[in-house]
Amino acid sequence: MTTVRAMSPAAPRARKPRMQIEVRREEVLDAALRLLSRGGYQAVSMEAVSREADLAKPRVYAAYPGVEPLLLALVERERGRAIAALTEAMPGFDDGADFDDILVAAATNLLQSVAANPESWRLLLLPADGAPDEVRENFSDARAFALAQLRALLEWGRDHRPGLADLDLELTALSLLAVGEQGARLLVSEPEAFTAERFGRFTRSLLAMMSPPPDVPRRVIADTAH
């Protein structure tokens, strides 16, 4: 005689404790960012976010009513974080400060922030296929903020760094920004080869080449840069 054993019911899925809506929104945005980093915008759906965040779909929808507002909130959050990082990266400058030290510290600080949060910066620096227009708009906002900071530093440095007065400050600011952007992209793509410290050394060498301190021959500057 065959004995049939009763199947024990599956254990119910443990529910995550309720959380404040702002905390849940951050958790949902973090999950969306991870999905986007791994698979691009096509990988982000409300169901995928629900699985990634281990939240029931109604809770995800309570945080954001759909994919579009979720992505817009994510981009806006990362833009705010980028501008905060740019603000924190720039040391204060006064009459006792050294221009080269400030710029090298700013470049190193910012790229260390990029290295610590590569997924966030990748969203702005390397927008994936299918990225909403708002991604590029938010990157433009962060870029304009960085350019204004560089321009303010160069304006201050005109009276503190010999040689800067002879340069076109607008083109200098744009050139330094381009170097910084490329450095951040390389760091996100190849973090082991392109470190924040490496770009800090490069920035100091570049400054020495483009605007040497007084009474130091360019040949000496070039030799010490290698």
Side-chain angles (χ1 to χ4, degrees), residues 29-83:
L29 292 179
D30 289 342
L33 182 60
R34 292 193 298 271
L35 289 168
L36 197 156
S37 179
R38 293 199 302 264
Y41 285 89
Q42 66 273 15
V44 182
S45 67
M46 301 303 276
E47 184 174 352
V49 170
S50 172
R51 290 195 302 269
E52 181 72 20
D54 193 22
L55 287 170
K57 274 204 293 187
R59 293 190 177 184
V60 176
Y61 276 100
Y64 295 99
V67 171
E68 183 174 351
L70 189 161
L71 289 175
L72 292 180
L74 175 61
V75 171
E76 179 62 25
R77 184 186 75 170
E78 300 312 318
R79 180 194 69 86
R81 288 180 173 180
I83 288 179

Side-chain angles (χ1 to χ4, degrees), residues 15-134:
R15 291 187 176 183
K16 298 188 74 171
R18 290 185 179 275
M19 59 185 74
Q20 293 182 354
I21 187 63
E22 291 304 321
V23 175
R24 185 185 304 156
R25 283 176 177 156
E26 287 299 305
E27 190 169 305
V28 167
L29 292 179
D30 289 342
L33 182 60
R34 292 193 298 271
L35 289 168
L36 197 156
S37 179
R38 293 199 302 264
Y41 285 89
Q42 66 273 15
V44 182
S45 67
M46 301 303 276
E47 184 174 352
V49 170
S50 172
R51 290 195 302 269
E52 181 72 20
D54 193 22
L55 287 170
K57 274 204 293 187
R59 293 190 177 184
V60 176
Y61 276 100
Y64 295 99
V67 171
E68 183 174 351
L70 189 161
L71 289 175
L72 292 180
L74 175 61
V75 171
E76 179 62 25
R77 184 186 75 170
E78 300 312 318
R79 180 194 69 86
R81 288 180 173 180
I83 288 179
L86 288 166
T87 302
E88 293 172 5
M90 181 68 75
F93 41 93
D94 52 36
D95 289 341
D98 179 82
F99 176 86
D100 290 22
D101 288 345
I102 292 172
L103 192 57
V104 170
T108 304
N109 292 344
L110 179 60
L111 290 173
Q112 286 174 341
S113 175
V114 173
N117 303 282
E119 290 181 340
S120 295
W121 284 94
R122 186 179 289 110
L123 176 66
L124 297 177
L125 292 166
L126 302 168
D129 292 341
D133 291 340
E134 287 79 5

